[in-house]
Amino acid sequence: SKPGMSQPMLTDDAADWNLAVPAEFAKALLANRLRLAATAASPSSRVGHVTPGCLGGAAGSAISVLGNTKFACGVSASVVELSAAGTAAAAAGCHPLLAAGVVLNADLPPVCSRAFRPGPPSDTAQALTVQVSDALAQSGCLDAAQLTVGPRHRLQLHVDAVCLSADGSLPDACLLAVSAALANLCLPRLVVPADAGHDDSNSGPSVRSTAAADVGVRRCPSGEKFRPAVLRPGSAVICTSFVAIDNDQLLSVPDGREEALPGAAIVRVFTAGGGDLPVCVVSVQMVGEAASELVGRCCREAVERHAACLAGPLAR
Amino acid sequence: RNSQLPISDHVMPLDRYRNTALVDGIDVRALPLAGDCPAPASEGKQQQQQQQQHWFQRRLVQDTVGSGYVEFGDTKVLCSVHGPMEPKRSVLTDAGAEQSRAQLQVYYKLAPFASHQAGRVSYLPDETERRAASFLQDTLAPSLRLDRLPKSRIELHCLVLEDAGCCLATAVNCACLALVDAGLEMYDLVTAATVCRPVGATDWQLEVGDGSNSGGSSSVTLAYMRSLRQVAGMLVEAAEPLQPREVSAACRICEDPCKMTHSSLRQFLLDCLPADDRTAKIA
């Protein structure tokens, strides 16, 4: 195959070489502008693609495809009634995303890979949830004021990202789907009747009531819809993963085999911004050791890819 | 906790490994309309009279032996197959039977955002999902040549991305596609269809995947092997006992859609073959 083009077909000798010394094989491919992953070498072109609004059971949904990694994200909304005391008690000591009314879970079910078993979420799934939650909370792109419904009620969003196929760069694909699903959110218009009663006495978060009449919020009878700009217009939170080999070569948005290369360091750069917000690096997470200049290069390429994602799959 | 305030009779089971809401809320779809007016009659979709088509896709999941994806209307199901792998040891099973044929284990799960009804689906499996998994296992096991894979176990994982009706039948079709994609020998393709009878109606209607006629008082799901002319499985769900003739009538209605799905699936699998191999017919 031609250099810089799609995944090469491995001969038997090449497959044996890949099995014996995978890091050397990857470096030899990179020297000829080839990758094990079936996409081009430049990071800005590995933006993947997103299909928004494809799942009718959710208020906002999207499916992201990044190489062979696929994520489906659905957003559901519920109305909660919080007293001022309950709000303060709930916000103390809990994750900022939860305090803002967004409950996010990333799930890696057994259907996406042999590595995950049925039952409670694996360590990988829990770590992915924490990574994505932290990135969203620190990004500054979330506008919690959009979730307010009247003076005493608030929308609570359940964001569920389910992996359909796991092949490396899980946070990248997950955040792509989450950003697109939040941008795609469409809810029925809600009204708060003027005579909606509210009991201020000790109605903290420990009280659970699912009777619809207790909430006091109604749907607009005309069936009108509205789109809360939970993510600030034109903005997104993106993750770009890199694999650093020998502090010299960088593989952007790696697949599962490239992430598992021995002796390689994984660098994940979370970027946020767009629209009126400047694009900036929110956080850098590293597994293994990498030189600081290499990390700087990762950040620069991540910012370029962020702009490409906003112009491409996340364009509104 | 104020004991004077009402305590909900529906408490979500505690999930210690995931983020949970600080306060339980009411799904926006469950909120009543303002002005105490009833929901308009045209709020649901119009019933589709014409036969809906299946859309098949395979090899969507990278790290599996075989996978399949089926869309029927708005219903979307993804299945993947793992194995053959080492069997699970059980003191209750006969050692000889355990080793002479492969064990088929089916897991069935709805995504949290899959339901078109108000409310999210819990991450923890419930009775409906366990019953569906059991039906899939009982239906697909007889169609597989499990005797060709002794001392092994095959896992089939089924994930429903969107349930807009006819979900179980679509899962059977998708599971069959995934098993074929995994290269497992089968006696025949297993296809399924569901008929339902809405509350107050006397005739059975074919359930479609657009949510227009799902959730009736009774439903019959039939899994059928067309070439062998055998019923692979049948699941009857009814609020009250059904007469045998009613169940027979439902099965007769299911037969034709099963045959049409069988033809569609067979043609899709033939089209997936390389051009040189298309002369070989799938049995």
Side-chain angles (χ1 to χ4, degrees):
Chain A
S1 62
K2 298 178 182 178
M5 296 295 287
S6 57
Q7 184 180 10
M9 298 295 294
L10 298 182
T11 61
D12 290 341
D13 290 341
D16 293 341
W17 189 19
N18 183 27
L19 187 64
V21 282
E24 299 299 324
F25 186 73
K27 281 193 281 188
L29 283 179
L30 273 181
N32 290 285
R33 292 187 59 219
L34 294 173
R35 290 274 302 264
L36 288 173
T39 49
S42 67
S44 59
S45 61
R46 294 172 63 92
V47 295
H49 61 271
V50 170
T51 307
C54 48
L55 301 171
S61 61
I63 291 182
S64 66
V65 179
L66 196 61
N68 289 317
T69 301
K70 303 173 183 68
F71 260 90
C73 180
V75 183
S76 312
S78 58
V79 175
V80 297
E81 186 179 0
L82 286 174
S83 66
T87 306
C94 73
H95 196 277
L97 207 61
L98 279 180
V102 179
V103 183
L104 187 141
N105 281 293
D107 192 27
L108 300 175
V111 74
C112 72
S113 171
R114 291 173 294 180
F116 308 117
R117 304 300 306 146
S122 58
D123 294 340
T124 312
Q126 295 182 53
L128 179 62
T129 299
V130 170
Q131 283 178 326
V132 175
S133 299
D134 288 347
L136 275 176
Q138 297 167 11
S139 66
C141 293
L142 277 182
D143 188 2
Q146 294 285 324
L147 298 178
T148 307
V149 178
R152 301 184 187 279
H153 300 86
R154 190 182 73 180
L155 284 172
Q156 183 167 261
L157 300 183
H158 289 264
V159 182
D160 299 293
V162 179
C163 184
L164 307 181
S165 173
D167 189 27
S169 300
L170 296 181
D172 306 37
C174 183
L175 268 174
L176 206 60
V178 168
S179 295
L182 286 173
N184 180 248
L185 191 60
C186 182
L187 297 172
R189 177 75 63 184
L190 302 176
V191 294
V192 181
D195 57 350
H198 175 71
D199 184 6
D200 280 321
S201 58
N202 205 15
S203 57
S206 60
V207 174
R208 300 184 174 190
S209 170
T210 57
D214 293 340
V215 181
V217 180
R218 303 287 184 265
R219 280 184 294 149
C220 188
S222 63
E224 187 183 342
K225 304 278 186 183
F226 83 108
R227 293 180 175 272
V230 181
L231 270 186
R232 298 182 196 280
S235 68
V237 186
I238 306 282
C239 172
T240 306
S241 301
F242 298 88
V243 164
I245 305 175
D246 293 340
N247 279 327
D248 179 26
Q249 312 259 11
L250 266 187
L251 300 174
S252 64
V253 194
D255 65 355
R257 283 179 296 180
E258 290 171 340
E259 277 191 348
L261 287 175
I266 300 174
V267 181
R268 301 200 197 275
V269 182
F270 294 86
T271 51
D276 296 335
L277 299 174
V279 177
C280 60
V281 176
V282 174
S283 64
V284 177
Q285 298 175 5
M286 222 156 38
V287 178
E289 294 182 2
S292 56
E293 55 196 83
L294 206 65
V295 174
R297 188 177 143 200
C298 292
C299 293
R300 285 192 297 274
E301 293 186 0
V303 170
E304 289 176 8
R305 183 170 173 272
H306 188 108
C309 286
L310 286 180
L314 296 179
R316 298 186 217 171
Chain B
R1 184 176 187 178
N2 190 340
S3 58
Q4 295 178 354
L5 292 169
I7 298 174
S8 168
D9 56 357
H10 169 70
V11 179
M12 292 281 282
L14 193 59
D15 191 346
R16 300 179 187 278
Y17 297 94
R18 296 184 175 93
N19 291 327
T20 53
L22 297 172
V23 182
D24 287 348
I26 311 297
D27 194 295
V28 292
R29 292 174 291 187
L31 292 174
L33 293 173
D36 294 327
C37 52
S42 60
E43 192 169 304
K45 291 187 182 179
Q46 296 297 326
Q47 186 172 352
Q48 301 288 338
Q49 295 297 329
Q50 64 273 20
Q51 178 71 26
Q52 287 186 326
Q53 298 294 321
H54 286 81
W55 189 83
F56 301 106
Q57 186 67 19
R58 54 189 277 266
R59 299 279 171 93
L60 256 72
V61 184
Q62 177 70 13
D63 190 25
T64 54
V65 175
S67 61
Y69 174 76
V70 174
E71 285 189 14
F72 181 58
D74 292 333
T75 299
K76 303 172 178 65
V77 182
L78 173 71
C79 284
S80 63
V81 175
H82 301 159
M85 58 183 78
E86 191 174 336
K88 279 187 177 178
R89 299 290 176 186
S90 170
V91 295
L92 298 177
T93 57
D94 177 23
E98 181 182 294
Q99 294 183 3
S100 65
R101 0 174 355 104
Q103 303 167 357
L104 176 67
Q105 207 155 5
V106 177
Y107 298 90
Y108 179 92
K109 191 73 189 75
L110 269 75
F113 41 79
S115 174
H116 274 226
Q117 310 299 325
R120 289 173 63 245
V121 181
S122 168
Y123 278 104
L124 303 177
D126 63 1
E127 184 57 36
T128 307
E129 291 166 346
R130 279 191 281 268
R131 190 165 58 238
S134 175
F135 173 72
L136 282 170
Q137 185 162 341
D138 293 341
T139 297
L140 295 168
S143 68
L144 285 167
R145 293 292 307 272
L146 297 175
D147 56 319
R148 303 286 290 217
L149 297 167
K151 301 181 185 178
S152 63
R153 176 167 57 99
I154 298 166
E155 282 188 359
L156 174 73
H157 295 275
C158 187
L159 176 68
V160 178
L161 294 175
E162 185 175 348
D163 178 10
C166 202
C167 176
L168 190 56
T170 309
V172 171
N173 300 331
C174 186
C176 179
L177 173 59
L179 290 169
V180 172
D181 187 51
L184 297 172
E185 289 189 44
M186 300 179 73
Y187 291 107
D188 190 11
L189 299 176
V190 181
T191 52
T194 302
V195 291
C196 64
R197 193 163 63 183
V199 178
T202 54
D203 296 331
W204 294 99
Q205 301 171 359
L206 199 61
E207 197 164 294
V208 293
D210 62 356
S212 57
N213 61 354
S214 60
S217 63
S218 312
S219 70
V220 174
T221 301
L222 181 77
Y224 186 66
M225 291 189 284
R226 179 181 180 178
S227 300
L228 298 179
R229 296 182 184 178
Q230 290 182 4
V231 172
M234 184 174 66
L235 183 67
V236 179
E237 293 174 307
E240 51 193 28
L242 297 177
Q243 299 292 328
R245 55 181 171 79
E246 293 176 304
V247 178
S248 300
C251 292
R252 278 194 293 275
I253 297 173
C254 284
E255 198 174 327
D256 280 341
C258 286
K259 290 178 181 176
M260 290 169 60
T261 306
H262 185 281
S263 304
S264 305
L265 181 57
R266 183 172 178 275
Q267 187 58 46
F268 170 76
L269 290 169
L270 281 174
D271 292 340
C272 291
L273 289 174
D276 296 339
D277 295 339
R278 278 180 201 168
T279 52
K281 293 185 179 179
I282 297 173

